[in-house]
Amino acid sequence: MSNLQLEIKQMIIETLDLEDIEPNDIVDDEPLFVEGLGLDSIDALEIGLALQKRYGIKLKADSEDTREHFASINALAVLIESQRAI
Amino acid sequence: MSTLLPLSDWLNAVPQGVIAYTANRSVSKADLERRVIFWLSVLPAERGQHWAVYHQDSAEFLAMLLALWQLGCTASVPGDDRPVTRERLRLKVTGFVTDFSDHLVPDELAQLNEIERGNWLTLADDFPALEIYTSGSTGEPKAILKTFAQLDSELAALEALWPDDHEAVVISTVTHQHFYGLIFRLLWPLARGQRFETEQWQYTEDLFSRGLRYQSFTLVSTPSHLGRFNTSINWSEVAPRCCSVLSSAAPLKRRDSLLVAQLLKAPVREIYGSSETGAIAWRVQSEPYDVAWQALPGVQLSQTENSLLVVTADQLSDRTFEMSDRVEFVADGMFHLGERIDSIVKVEGKRVSLTEVERVVQQSHLIENAKALIISRKRVEVALVAELTEIGRQTLALLGKRKLQQQLKQHLQNFFEPVLLPRRWRFVTQMPYNAQGKLPMDSLQTMFVTQAIKWPELVSQTVTDKQANLVCRIPAELIYFDGHFAGNPILPGIVQVHWAEHYGRQLLNFIGQFDRLEVIKFQQVIFPETTVNLALEYHQEKGKLSFRFYSDKGVHSSGRICFS
């Protein structure tokens, strides 16, 4: 697990006030919503805000695109890396 | 004074032209009529039947609705399309409209229908246009019929209050499958001839870019979204185009209302109502006091002896309806909202019956008995306290708490929307009944107060007569890391001494008052998320406890605690 992945997991657990879950319990390429971690639409809004606050990431106004970025920890890491590169 | 188009004759009354916008194109009346004709041709429906309608696109949903009305059928509108919802509905409706999506229209029928276009049936005012569902207090979804007359009456009241902004395009974060969304993002715009977006948006970034597409727009949203507005967006770019913001489903926090009003430079109009009654009151918040709710035009309000709100209006099927909300009147038709008196609660604006949550979770072979409650942390959420069955206890022991929760959640998600699923679970051997045999809510609530973490996690321990060895994992959440030191947390020495004394007394069974420390050495710091050993030895004759924290890095600290 890379540092960025770990950082995102910690951010998610903290931001969403999740209980009974450790960073190690979250699988990098598992879906965050519904199956997998089982997050809901409100969690998605919160993650969006946290990404903005912590990494200065603005979501592109295209829900399809956002859905892809929010698919898993790995996808979020790619999003953060790509914005850093700019 | 009403200039509203009647919903019962809408297809004839609405002029040609654009009626809606998808993400990237417009939908004209002709486009819509083509879809209505398609549905008319494929649905094997007969007058008087009920058909279920679920579709994410508002224009397509509208085409289905209009086709059903032309066929003399009532549209049953479920809040979601989860399997259990469909199963329940199946018993009550003739069919599901979308099951016929792939049917082909015979050519001759299509031509015939083309000719009929523009010659639409006008329905009677007392025709039951809609059947909507909401959580009843027993948990079983309750069906509510709405006639055209009721709908028109509710829309007339809204129009009398807010007759402005017919040019504004309706942008929304709510689904038309819920009654609030159905009225505010679809039916009211239809009656006004106001254009609406067919998609439901989730993120504020989306709202920003959608808003930029139009000369003027209105936002139909909820406290869930308005309370999570991304303030780093340059809202001043889009603010001049925003006419108004509507919020309903739950009361909006004053802070959020004022923030959105300031960012969008538009009034934030809140609606209070229910699926049973439709919209009945409104307010626009301001500083510094809580603004009271005011009755909509044509709505009379009173209260029962126990302060429950009573609504009287033409838009109600029985003219009056008793709400489950307590109220406090401050003037005629003006009130402050209190709490609900039944087991229905609202989570992120969605109604859920706690009794129903308990009933469903108790269906699981893992659960003996369960109590659901609402807790308020970062967000308002459902929590659950449960006694496990024998199999449940075995599952817990074998798979752990998280896997057990996942199994139970999987069962629950067939019945409830994701935001209504319990986010916190406590598995107990016995519910905390008091001496009167009651289950006090506050003792359930306290089970969810997170304890400040003050101790290491004991991975293993070996104890002989006067010696003990503990393997301790140092959790990052320890309160002692707070501020010790910012950004560079290490375990304070005094805590190590305190732990040594605590575990010494607990495991080695001595008594005596703390007197002093001897030969204390702190050699290497202890970091969060590391594992260390704690060796303890009690020297009875001297009354001294020697301790040593060590790991594969060597000794972290050691010393003696003297007792008198």
Side-chain angles (χ1 to χ4, degrees):
Chain A
M1 183 161 58
S2 84
N3 279 340
L4 181 56
Q5 261 91 344
L6 177 64
E7 204 174 296
I8 299 170
K9 290 176 190 180
Q10 279 163 345
M11 177 191 83
I12 287 180
I13 292 173
E14 193 182 312
T15 311
L16 306 182
D17 189 21
L18 300 182
E19 198 183 74
D20 300 319
I21 184 157
E22 298 289 327
N24 280 333
D25 296 328
I26 307 176
V27 183
D28 287 358
D29 57 0
E30 220 173 58
L32 293 175
F33 297 90
V34 199
E35 332 96 85
L37 196 51
L39 302 184
D40 61 31
S41 58
I42 304 295
D43 294 322
L45 290 176
E46 294 284 2
I47 293 177
L49 286 179
L51 286 174
Q52 157 63 40
K53 273 192 204 139
R54 186 171 302 201
Y55 301 101
I57 286 180
K58 286 211 171 84
L59 299 176
K60 269 200 221 124
D62 173 347
S63 284
E64 210 47 58
D65 209 40
T66 310
R67 253 194 293 276
E68 272 171 34
H69 288 314
F70 280 28
S72 65
I73 295 289
N74 282 339
L76 280 173
V78 169
L79 172 69
I80 293 168
E81 290 287 2
S82 71
Q83 298 249 341
R84 276 178 177 168
I86 295 168
Chain B
M1 62 152 264
S2 170
T3 53
L4 294 180
L5 308 173
L7 292 177
S8 55
D9 193 31
W10 187 82
L11 275 171
N12 289 321
V14 72
Q16 293 295 333
V18 174
I19 55 160
Y21 296 100
T22 67
N24 44 30
R25 61 176 186 88
S26 56
V27 180
S28 67
K29 181 186 180 187
D31 294 330
L32 182 72
E33 283 179 310
R34 264 191 293 280
R35 294 306 297 163
V36 175
I37 288 164
F38 166 80
W39 290 112
L40 279 177
S41 315
V42 297
L43 288 178
E46 283 171 32
R47 182 165 293 277
Q49 291 175 340
H50 287 212
W51 281 75
V53 191
Y54 185 93
H55 203 281
Q56 294 199 331
D57 180 285
S58 299
E60 191 62 18
F61 172 87
L62 175 60
M64 297 174 178
L65 214 60
L66 293 167
L68 285 174
W69 291 345
Q70 287 300 307
L71 291 162
C73 295
T74 300
S76 288
V77 183
D80 58 75
D81 67 342
R82 285 191 323 279
V84 172
T85 310
R86 281 180 70 97
E87 251 167 64
R88 274 181 178 150
L89 257 184
R90 197 174 293 284
L91 306 170
K92 298 183 175 151
V93 298
T94 305
F96 291 78
V97 172
T98 40
D99 287 352
F100 296 85
S101 302
D102 302 331
H103 282 231
L104 295 175
V105 184
D107 280 349
E108 58 288 4
L109 194 58
Q111 275 169 10
L112 192 70
N113 282 325
E114 273 299 310
I115 298 164
E116 277 181 18
R117 192 164 118 190
N119 192 12
W120 302 102
L121 190 71
T122 307
L123 287 112
D125 275 352
D126 61 355
F127 179 77
L130 295 172
E131 185 175 49
I132 49 177
Y133 294 88
T134 189
S135 338
S137 39
T138 57
E140 269 297 295
K142 198 164 54 170
I144 303 157
L145 272 180
K146 302 273 181 186
T147 63
F148 281 118
Q150 282 173 267
L151 294 171
D152 286 342
S153 154
E154 181 179 350
L155 298 181
L158 291 171
E159 188 68 14
L161 181 63
W162 293 312
D164 45 2
D165 306 327
H166 282 220
E167 296 308 309
V169 175
V170 180
I171 299 176
S172 180
T173 65
V174 299
T175 167
H176 55 248
Q177 297 287 145
H178 289 170
F179 192 55
Y180 159 60
L182 186 56
I183 288 286
F184 284 88
R185 68 171 282 199
L186 191 60
L187 299 186
W188 192 20
L190 284 185
R192 306 174 117 201
Q194 184 179 10
R195 294 167 184 181
F196 57 92
E197 290 214 313
T198 64
E199 250 188 79
Q200 176 191 355
W201 302 100
Q202 169 84 338
Y203 299 96
T204 41
E205 287 83 349
D206 292 325
L207 302 179
F208 176 81
S209 73
R210 297 312 296 178
L212 281 181
R213 298 171 79 102
Y214 308 111
Q215 282 296 313
S216 66
F217 71 92
T218 288
L219 174 62
V220 175
S221 192
T222 65
S224 294
H225 288 86
L226 299 178
R228 294 180 175 89
F229 240 56
N230 187 342
T231 50
S232 69
I233 292 175
N234 185 11
W235 289 105
S236 60
E237 242 180 278
V238 77
R241 298 160 191 256
C242 182
C243 300
S244 61
V245 178
L246 283 156
S247 176
S248 192
L252 184 61
K253 284 188 189 136
R254 182 163 71 221
R255 187 188 61 206
D256 296 337
S257 175
L258 297 177
L259 178 67
V260 173
Q262 186 209 329
L263 291 174
L264 289 174
K265 307 267 183 297
V268 177
R269 297 164 170 172
E270 272 184 88
I271 316 287
Y272 166 75
S274 67
S275 302
E276 291 90 342
T277 58
I280 53 187
W282 66 279
R283 67 173 177 180
V284 174
Q285 302 207 56
S286 62
E287 292 270 45
Y289 304 111
D290 261 348
V291 174
W293 296 93
Q294 288 187 51
L296 283 177
V299 173
Q300 271 98 49
L301 301 176
S302 58
Q303 59 183 330
T304 66
E305 279 175 10
N306 341 325
S307 309
L308 296 182
L309 183 63
V310 179
V311 187
T312 308
D314 288 338
Q315 69 204 41
L316 304 184
S317 48
D318 301 327
R319 285 273 304 154
T320 58
F321 184 81
E322 188 181 305
M323 307 289 284
S324 301
D325 290 313
R326 280 191 210 282
V327 290
E328 187 194 329
F329 276 91
V330 290
D332 191 26
M334 294 185 72
F335 61 93
H336 288 294
L337 263 182
E339 34 185 54
R340 282 187 79 95
I341 51 134
D342 53 16
S343 75
I344 304 259
V345 290
K346 277 202 165 176
V347 176
E348 294 297 341
K350 302 216 156 80
R351 241 156 100 161
V352 63
S353 153
L354 293 175
T355 320
E356 172 76 348
V357 174
E358 290 161 7
R359 194 184 65 76
V360 169
V361 80
Q362 281 168 16
Q363 289 172 355
S364 161
H365 65 294
L366 302 167
I367 299 290
E368 184 68 49
N369 186 11
K371 195 77 196 157
L373 61 154
I374 286 293
I375 56 174
S376 195
R377 295 173 56 96
K378 263 188 146 170
R379 65 191 249 196
V380 172
E381 50 189 62
V382 177
L384 203 94
V385 181
E387 293 172 5
L388 296 170
T389 57
E390 184 52 40
I391 305 173
R393 281 194 291 274
Q394 286 169 10
T395 311
L396 178 63
L398 199 68
L399 301 176
K401 190 175 175 194
R402 195 170 122 68
K403 284 267 159 30
L404 177 63
Q405 283 174 24
Q406 278 175 332
Q407 283 193 19
L408 291 166
K409 263 180 130 170
Q410 209 139 44
H411 169 62
L412 281 166
Q413 75 188 12
N414 294 323
F415 296 83
F416 301 99
E417 293 186 47
V419 299
L420 301 178
L421 298 177
R423 284 168 79 85
R424 257 158 256 278
W425 304 69
R426 296 292 177 267
F427 299 114
V428 296
T429 28
Q430 169 107 59
M431 290 283 181
Y433 287 103
N434 64 14
Q436 288 76 43
K438 293 232 171 79
L439 204 49
M441 200 34 88
D442 50 349
S443 58
L444 292 174
Q445 287 280 351
T446 50
M447 300 174 85
F448 293 92
V449 178
T450 315
Q451 295 291 320
I453 299 178
K454 296 179 177 170
W455 305 104
E457 271 180 44
L458 296 186
V459 181
S460 74
Q461 61 181 53
T462 44
V463 185
T464 59
D465 192 19
K466 290 298 160 213
Q467 291 184 3
N469 197 306
L470 309 173
V471 180
C472 312
R473 203 187 68 86
I474 312 296
E477 300 78 10
L478 269 183
I479 54 164
Y480 304 117
F481 287 131
D482 245 355
H484 192 274
F485 299 101
N488 208 357
I490 56 171
L491 189 65
I494 186 68
V495 176
Q496 298 174 34
V497 175
H498 178 56
W499 284 357
E501 184 194 357
H502 170 83
Y503 289 114
R505 284 183 190 277
Q506 194 181 72
L507 302 170
L508 301 177
N509 271 324
F510 56 85
I511 41 173
Q513 289 273 320
F514 173 83
D515 187 36
R516 63 182 195 282
L517 298 174
E518 269 181 355
V519 292
I520 296 287
K521 278 187 230 156
F522 295 108
Q523 286 148 295
Q524 291 191 68
V525 294
I526 299 179
F527 293 111
E529 302 290 1
T530 52
T531 301
V532 293
N533 287 265
L534 169 59
L536 296 165
E537 186 172 358
Y538 186 60
H539 309 277
Q540 180 107 44
E541 59 299 337
K542 299 178 190 157
K544 292 178 182 176
L545 175 75
S546 61
F547 72 89
R548 191 162 50 97
F549 283 92
Y550 66 98
S551 67
D552 49 10
K553 296 213 179 84
V555 176
H556 293 274
S557 63
S558 64
R560 281 196 295 269
I561 309 172
C562 308
F563 298 91
S564 57

